[in-house]
Amino acid sequence: MNETYDVVVVGAGTAGSYAAYLMARQGLKVALVERKRAEEVFKVTGDAIGEHHIKRLEASGLSINNKVFMIRYSGAELYSPDLSVRYFVAGRGYGLDIGEWAQWLISEANNSGVDVLDRHTVTVPILEGGFVKGVKANRGDGTQVELRAKVTVDASGATGVVRTKLPPQYRISEPLLPEDASYAYREVIEVDYAIANPQNIRIYLSNVISPGGYWWFFPKSDKTVNIGLGIWGKLVKETGLNPRSNYDKYLAKSEHARGRRVLHAGGGIVPTRRPLPSLVGPGIVAVGDAAVTVNPVHGGGIGPALLSSELASKAIIEALERGDVSERGLWRYNTDYLRAYGIKQAQLDVFRLMLQTLSDDQLNRGLRARILTEEEVLEISEKGDLNLSGLRKLTIALRLLKVPDVARKLSLALRYMNEVKGIYLNYPQDPGNLDNWLVSLVAKYNEYRLKLKLPPQSI
Ligand SMILES: Cc1cc2nc3c(=O)[nH]c(=O)nc-3n(C[C@H](O)[C@H](O)[C@H](O)COP(=O)(O)OP(=O)(O)OC[C@H]3O[C@@H](n4cnc5c(N)ncnc54)[C@H](O)[C@@H]3O)c2cc1C
């Protein structure tokens, strides 16, 4: 049976289910294709989400099933590697029951008229006349099917199974490199002590436990916690480090996990990079992890997945109304995304690269000098930007004198965050100028990478 749809969405995670729901609600004929059984869709994450993302979701008209929330958070504690410095960054959020979350989103898609095709593993895009015309999939019963559509949405997570199979001249196909990802492992465990302040999530910087990343302790109640770590993919590839081994070595038997009873264990890859050069191609768009929309500094990707799906859905609906699903016809998604979040994401990526070159000693001294206030840490990790008054700049400059090596790196990052922002503000308004723009962006990044003693990247 070969079906034709307005839109085929590949992957029933947060991004795919939400995009499918939004488009079906507007009357489009949508298929949501998922390799797992629908009731088994479950993503391994830290399960934490900022309240502003939930508010945005509610504003779209969805009424959220309260079963998805396990705990309310009121802030994050950030620790230096030697634990001598603790920052508290206020900010509301939730600890999700990620299984309930996935099931709720799929059921909303289902109820709005989406054809949920589970146990369908998408293998390749159907490429005809330069346009993506749908996908081929293997069904659970061993048969194959072609699912044809005017627009295909790649929401298949970090592997990007559809977009990465397109030829390189489609800029949406740019592969995710290990050095632009974090390799993570986490467990949800029950402990035998009462967790203090379970309303605070905790983030620990340590190049011993989680080189180039961080390890986390996100309570789910006063007895249960999501605890895990991420390692910079570059180091995983170059040195053979493994997040699971580090977890077993440093966290599983630590005081934090005392009396550990494992409720769920698993790992995954978190994309931590600037946006793809283009989130669209002829007849195709990418959303969520498939479009690498994760915050490159803290790895939060559930909120950006929702945002990208919302913006992509708008662009697709409009393109279908105009009868133009070419790259140009879908281009608006690129410019909307960059305006809403993508430029910040690129700036955060610049900051991320600098952080990954700091030693534990530099992190300890930098945090001890309290160069930035707790609010400024929040601002920089969320917005990728820092607006400082003249007086604050002076105070910071004086504090930086105490840690000149860290100061040099911080000011280098701030300078390039600004320069990269300038390039993104000139992002082309149509696909014709993309290649030239990309040359200037990659040249700027390579200039910065050289200063951080990182090898250049090619286009
Ligand atoms: C260990 C870890 C901890 C994290 N912690 C947090 C956190 O605390 N907070 C936060 O906001 N973010 C966190 N993230 C990131 C966050 O989980 C992701 O950014 C987000 O879930 C992405 O959603 P998605 O829908 O884009 O992708 P996914 O949730 O990965 O969904 C992709 C879907 O596509 C399906 N699929 C894949 N291939 C195929 C195929 N060939 N055919 C059909 N279907 C296919 C998959 O089965 C899956 O259901 C974490 C990630 C990891 C790995």
Side-chain angles (χ1 to χ4, degrees):
M1 184 186 65
N2 293 334
E3 283 270 11
T4 299
Y5 293 91
D6 290 319
V7 186
V8 164
V9 180
V10 179
T14 296
S17 298
Y18 186 48
Y21 157 80
L22 289 172
M23 290 184 285
R25 206 177 62 170
Q26 295 302 315
L28 298 186
K29 189 176 177 205
V30 182
L32 179 60
V33 192
E34 169 59 47
R35 65 180 170 186
K36 297 179 187 161
R37 285 177 198 280
E39 57 278 15
E40 286 168 5
V41 172
F42 178 97
K43 169 83 178 173
V44 168
T45 86
D47 306 337
I49 187 167
E51 188 182 48
H52 56 293
H53 297 303
I54 297 295
K55 287 200 166 143
R56 196 185 170 94
L57 193 58
E58 283 171 334
S60 80
L62 265 180
S63 80
I64 301 181
N65 181 338
N66 272 328
K67 283 203 315 203
V68 307
F69 301 119
M70 293 187 78
I71 186 168
R72 243 190 122 93
Y73 296 131
S74 54
E77 299 172 18
L78 173 71
Y79 290 88
S80 62
D82 64 4
L83 304 178
S84 69
V85 187
R86 169 187 171 276
Y87 266 80
F88 176 73
V89 183
R92 289 179 197 282
Y94 296 93
L96 296 175
D97 180 325
I98 203 75
E100 290 285 355
W101 171 264
Q103 295 312 311
W104 165 66
L105 278 172
I106 292 172
S107 72
E108 290 290 344
N110 208 355
N111 295 340
S112 65
V114 170
D115 263 1
V116 179
L117 305 175
D118 63 351
R119 298 183 68 222
H120 280 61
T121 301
V122 169
T123 50
V124 283
I126 301 169
L127 196 56
E128 284 172 3
F131 273 73
V132 176
K133 298 276 179 134
V135 292
K136 293 185 182 176
N138 292 331
R139 288 196 286 214
D141 62 6
T143 58
Q144 293 187 334
V145 66
E146 282 193 2
L147 300 161
R148 291 187 165 262
K150 294 172 190 151
V151 180
T152 298
V153 176
D154 190 347
S156 62
T159 46
V161 292
V162 187
R163 69 166 188 88
T164 56
K165 298 207 172 90
L166 294 170
Q169 64 269 28
Y170 293 71
R171 294 297 183 193
I172 189 178
S173 70
E174 187 168 285
L176 174 64
L177 304 175
E179 63 176 287
D180 288 329
S182 177
Y183 289 52
Y185 176 80
R186 71 95 180 93
E187 290 181 351
V188 179
I189 59 172
E190 192 178 271
V191 292
D192 70 359
Y193 63 95
I195 296 169
N197 301 322
Q199 74 283 0
N200 291 348
I201 62 168
R202 286 145 225 194
I203 289 175
Y204 297 84
L205 301 174
S206 164
N207 279 306
V208 175
I209 299 174
S210 46
Y214 63 84
W215 72 269
W216 70 85
F217 183 95
F218 294 172
K220 308 210 82 168
S221 71
D222 63 352
K223 279 280 173 207
T224 52
V225 58
N226 182 315
I227 173 171
L229 62 92
I231 299 180
W232 187 9
K234 179 178 189 291
L235 303 176
V236 171
K237 290 293 160 197
E238 287 172 3
T239 65
L241 276 168
N242 177 305
R244 172 70 200 265
S245 311
N246 275 28
Y247 181 89
D248 288 343
K249 189 167 170 189
Y250 298 109
L251 299 182
K253 296 180 201 93
S254 70
E255 274 303 290
H256 301 276
R258 211 184 68 198
R260 163 174 168 253
R261 190 169 77 83
V262 181
L263 306 176
H264 192 277
I269 292 178
V270 192
T272 51
R273 53 158 285 171
R274 64 177 184 254
L276 293 175
S278 174
L279 306 174
V280 309
I284 181 167
V285 312
V287 293
D289 280 15
V292 301
T293 54
V294 180
N295 179 314
V297 169
H298 60 54
I302 303 172
L306 293 168
L307 173 68
S308 65
S309 293
E310 192 182 306
L311 300 176
S313 302
K314 268 191 199 138
I316 292 169
I317 291 165
E318 199 185 276
L320 286 171
E321 276 168 7
R322 276 189 279 106
D324 178 7
V325 296
S326 67
E327 192 175 20
R328 194 178 299 272
L330 293 163
W331 196 254
R332 174 193 170 172
Y333 172 35
N334 275 325
T335 49
D336 285 355
Y337 179 76
L338 288 179
R339 201 175 313 114
Y341 174 65
I343 296 181
K344 289 174 207 161
Q345 183 188 339
Q347 291 183 280
L348 287 167
D349 187 40
V350 171
F351 197 65
R352 178 269 301 188
L353 282 168
M354 184 277 293
L355 285 177
Q356 287 176 320
T357 65
L358 293 179
S359 66
D360 275 357
D361 174 54
Q362 288 175 317
L363 287 166
N364 285 329
R365 286 185 290 111
L367 287 168
R368 220 175 285 139
R370 292 209 174 250
I371 298 165
L372 301 177
T373 64
E374 292 164 335
E375 289 72 31
E376 285 160 357
V377 170
L378 177 67
E379 191 175 337
I380 210 159
S381 68
E382 277 296 331
K383 297 190 189 157
D385 226 341
L386 205 51
N387 284 315
L388 298 171
S389 68
L391 185 62
R392 269 302 293 151
K393 279 186 185 154
L394 185 65
T395 317
I396 289 174
L398 289 173
R399 290 190 178 162
L400 283 171
L401 288 176
K402 288 193 248 165
V403 281
D405 54 337
V406 182
R408 266 194 302 278
K409 284 198 169 171
L410 184 62
S411 62
L412 182 75
L414 291 173
R415 185 181 126 209
Y416 275 90
M417 284 161 83
N418 238 334
E419 294 192 11
V420 162
K421 179 180 182 179
I423 294 180
Y424 272 94
L425 287 173
N426 286 318
Y427 186 80
Q429 292 304 308
D430 70 72
N433 295 319
L434 183 63
D435 285 357
N436 285 339
W437 176 84
L438 190 56
V439 168
S440 64
L441 178 73
V442 173
K444 182 57 68 187
Y445 254 82
N446 282 341
E447 195 183 294
Y448 175 58
R449 292 175 65 89
L450 194 68
K451 294 200 157 93
L452 291 176
K453 300 192 172 45
L454 293 170
Q457 285 185 332
S458 52
I459 294 180

